[in-house]
Amino acid sequence: MGTARSGLKIVNTFAQVVRFNNVRAAIKLQFRDVDTFVHRDYVRRTDVRYIKKTLDTRMSKDDFSTLVKAIRKASCMPIATPFDEKSVDLCCELGIPILKIASSDLNDWLLLEKIARTKRPVIVSTGGSSVKDLDDLVTFFHNRGIPMAINHCVSIYPSEDRELELNQIDYLRARYPSHTIGFSTHECSDWTSSMLIAYAKGARIFERHIDIDGDSTAVSPYCSRPEQADAWFKAFHKVKEMCGAPGTQKRIPPLRKFSIWTRSYAEFIRAAICPKATSSTTRTCTWRFPYCAARSPAAS
């Protein structure tokens, strides 16, 4: 995304996919104060890919405001990743309700302090963080009463299936049981399998980069096109259907499946208990399935 026009096209295109699949979705923007984010000695460097991309996709405050309004109008939630303190102020100015913390910033305590002062809920990506990084971050936001969700992420762009490390979802759920765990992914060949596995493991927030084909700029291999997001959402609905209710207690068998057994057993009980039986009477019953009213259980 490099202009408000292209951004609006992305928002409107994916909003249609969201509505068609009836999912609750957010569209996340990335905020950078480019003047201070890129070191002054590197501003004119075009041989460093990420610097060039940052400069080429620079947008104004008015542009971001236009996009945030479009996201809300499309019935999606606007979320943003602020990469610097000034961008946190922009998030507040635009009324962004949830802030995302990039995995590269988990040790940027000046930025984290600034984010915490907003009192907004946060989502963090684990990326290349250490256990201590995450423990410190969990403690930091917990002590300030700020809700925090944790997304498993391998920070490989794009990722192959063998690199997804989905068992880390189990680890995060066990270590941080009071936090919502999610999955931020960048794989480039499958938009179904990882959703099925991650949801079944307990992930409840899912994140992907999105883009559309443009006239001159190719879609990055770690981004999802609209038709791929559509398959992703459908996988979400399928796995929810297959997993059923939360696995916190024994399921109650549906009555329609067991009614024939229940009726047969009830009739067996009524036939087996003979009101005229005495202590000198022995009655042996055999339960036959299905029970037939015309043929009571055999007695001898």
Side-chain angles (χ1 to χ4, degrees):
M1 181 190 300
T3 65
R5 181 180 177 182
S6 60
L8 287 172
K9 192 172 182 180
I10 292 173
V11 168
N12 292 330
T13 300
F14 279 90
Q16 291 180 16
V17 181
V18 168
R19 289 193 296 270
F20 182 78
N21 285 279
N22 193 28
V23 294
R24 185 187 181 197
I27 297 180
K28 183 175 71 70
L29 307 174
Q30 295 185 346
F31 292 170
R32 297 177 178 86
D33 179 37
V34 178
D35 290 335
T36 58
F37 186 77
V38 179
H39 194 281
R40 62 179 180 272
D41 293 343
Y42 285 79
V43 170
R44 300 187 182 279
R45 293 280 296 271
T46 59
D47 57 322
V48 183
R49 177 177 177 269
Y50 292 106
I51 293 177
K52 184 178 186 305
K53 184 176 181 180
T54 298
L55 296 174
D56 289 347
T57 57
R58 179 174 184 165
M59 298 179 67
S60 68
K61 183 188 299 186
D62 289 341
D63 289 338
F64 282 125
S65 178
T66 298
L67 292 178
V68 169
K69 291 176 182 177
I71 292 170
R72 289 196 173 102
K73 185 177 180 181
S75 299
C76 292
M77 179 188 298
I79 295 179
T81 302
F83 284 87
D84 49 75
E85 294 90 325
K86 193 171 181 179
S87 294
V88 177
D89 292 333
L90 179 59
C91 289
C92 295
E93 185 177 337
L94 297 179
I96 303 296
I98 298 175
L99 304 184
K100 173 76 187 296
I101 301 174
S103 57
S104 59
D105 289 329
L106 297 193
N107 287 319
D108 187 343
W109 288 102
L110 292 177
L111 177 60
L112 296 174
E113 288 280 4
K114 181 82 172 184
I115 289 173
R117 286 196 290 271
T118 71
K119 296 298 183 181
R120 284 165 165 76
V122 298
I123 303 172
V124 303
S125 283
T126 56
S129 62
S130 67
V131 174
K132 184 179 184 304
D133 292 336
L134 284 178
D135 285 350
D136 289 347
L137 205 63
V138 167
T139 301
F140 176 79
F141 284 107
H142 173 76
N143 289 343
R144 288 156 180 78
I146 297 173
M148 185 183 82
I150 305 171
N151 280 0
H152 163 57
C153 173
V154 296
S155 294
I156 301 173
Y157 304 83
S159 341
E160 299 294 340
D161 290 351
R162 64 181 180 276
E163 298 171 318
L164 297 184
E165 298 285 354
L166 291 174
N167 287 336
Q168 285 294 297
I169 295 172
D170 302 323
Y171 171 80
L172 293 172
R173 291 189 69 206
R175 190 169 185 87
Y176 310 110
S178 62
H179 292 267
T180 299
I181 304 302
F183 177 42
S184 178
T185 182
H186 316 98
E187 76 261 37
C188 57
S189 59
D190 189 336
W191 284 262
T192 300
S193 301
S194 67
M195 169 63 79
L196 302 178
I197 297 169
Y199 184 93
K201 282 181 171 291
R204 290 299 179 266
I205 297 174
F206 302 91
E207 179 186 17
R208 279 184 181 268
H209 290 255
I210 59 174
D211 202 353
I212 58 177
D213 291 306
D215 297 331
S216 58
T217 305
V219 173
S220 297
Y222 57 82
C223 291
S224 297
R225 292 176 170 85
E227 65 274 13
Q228 295 162 339
D230 180 66
W232 193 48
F233 290 147
K234 285 179 169 55
F236 171 74
H237 284 303
K238 174 57 69 175
V239 69
K240 281 189 66 178
E241 178 186 24
M242 295 175 74
C243 286
T248 54
Q249 60 185 17
K250 176 68 175 70
R251 67 182 283 270
I252 300 175
L255 182 61
R256 64 184 177 83
K257 292 293 185 183
F258 288 87
S259 58
I260 186 171
W261 289 92
T262 304
R263 288 197 303 271
S264 295
Y265 188 68
E267 294 296 340
F268 162 70
I269 293 298
R270 283 196 288 271
I273 299 176
C274 178
K276 296 181 180 181
T278 64
S279 58
S280 61
T281 302
T282 301
R283 185 171 176 84
T284 302
C285 297
T286 302
W287 180 27
R288 295 185 177 91
F289 177 81
Y291 178 81
C292 180
R295 183 179 179 184
S296 298
S300 59

